[in-house]
Amino acid sequence: MTHLTIEPSILYVGTPVALLATVNEDGTVNLAPMSSAWALGDVVVLGVGISGQTAINLGARPEVVINYPSPEQWKAVERLAPLTAAHPVPSHKQDRFRHERAKFTASGLTPVPSELVTPPRVAECQLQFEATVVHSELDAKGNFLIAQARVVRVHAAQEIVVPGTSHVDPAAWSPLIYNFRHYYGLGPELGESFRTETPR
């Protein structure tokens, strides 16, 4: 195996896509795709650009719904990708992004009420986390907001839950994966961890 020393512009080695629903200052809902999220127990750590509407919203109104689309929703995610609720559009985004407040309409996705937080959930997403931001700070370079969101309620479509449990069935659930700016689904299962709670 020969390794090359490279300098990629991004480091998305294959991470799940999330759609973050937050509330704008005028009460409308912002829906933004991102793929910089990872879980620690009941906390999901979110990394969002500081000039985006999501960071602004989380700073003022620290509630969020983290919706996880499945692979068949990639086109809806991509319809959201070039949109920003920020007005005016930040200067570094003006060549590729356009202002849009009606994100659900633009994406073709459907809002449904949450139970414990204000932002709505995305009906088409099989996995949805209602959460509140409990801590946030800037990253080392000052370009991103690192927000720790405590999950207060989880919604999962019945077909992805192991019957009679609170376990998501990994054979039934497949996240949309963002792999170096390309969308993928999961391949066949290779095996299971010794820590699994849903053994085959």
Side-chain angles (χ1 to χ4, degrees):
M1 183 182 300
T2 301
H3 289 81
L4 303 176
T5 299
I6 63 172
E7 297 180 0
S9 59
I10 45 93
L11 299 175
Y12 294 111
V13 296
T15 51
V17 173
L19 298 176
L20 302 185
T22 57
V23 176
N24 297 317
E25 72 282 353
D26 61 1
T28 59
V29 176
N30 188 50
L31 188 63
M34 57 91 76
S35 60
S36 297
W38 53 286
L40 289 169
D42 66 349
V43 172
V44 177
V45 181
L46 308 170
V48 295
I50 58 170
S51 64
Q53 192 66 37
T54 298
I56 294 167
N57 289 348
L58 290 177
R61 291 162 297 282
E63 294 184 326
V64 60
V65 179
I66 307 161
N67 301 276
Y68 289 98
S70 49
E72 57 268 19
Q73 273 123 32
W74 79 268
K75 289 184 180 179
V77 171
E78 188 59 17
R79 285 193 291 271
L80 283 169
L83 308 179
T84 178
H87 185 71
V89 177
S91 58
H92 70 280
K93 289 186 171 183
Q94 288 179 356
D95 61 333
R96 301 183 76 181
F97 290 78
R98 68 176 175 84
H99 171 72
E100 176 61 67
R101 279 278 168 144
K103 296 284 195 75
F104 274 96
T105 301
S107 65
L109 297 171
T110 311
V112 292
S114 294
E115 296 178 359
L116 299 178
V117 299
T118 305
R121 298 175 285 135
V122 177
E124 292 81 1
C125 290
Q126 292 181 306
L127 198 56
Q128 311 151 346
F129 296 170
E130 297 184 31
T132 57
V133 174
V134 294
H135 180 77
S136 60
E137 59 186 284
L138 295 180
D139 76 305
K141 291 186 176 180
N143 296 322
F144 296 93
L145 178 73
I146 308 300
Q148 297 181 35
R150 175 161 286 122
V151 176
V152 295
R153 182 141 296 171
V154 174
H155 304 270
Q158 181 176 339
E159 58 267 25
I160 69 168
V161 177
V162 176
T165 76
S166 283
H167 297 303
V168 172
D169 183 351
W173 160 244
S174 178
L176 175 63
I177 300 296
Y178 194 55
N179 180 359
F180 287 97
R181 293 188 175 142
H182 293 257
Y183 298 107
Y184 287 86
L186 296 182
E189 180 180 348
L190 301 176
E192 61 188 35
S193 165
F194 77 97
R195 299 181 64 177
T196 185
E197 295 180 6
T198 55
R200 298 273 172 240

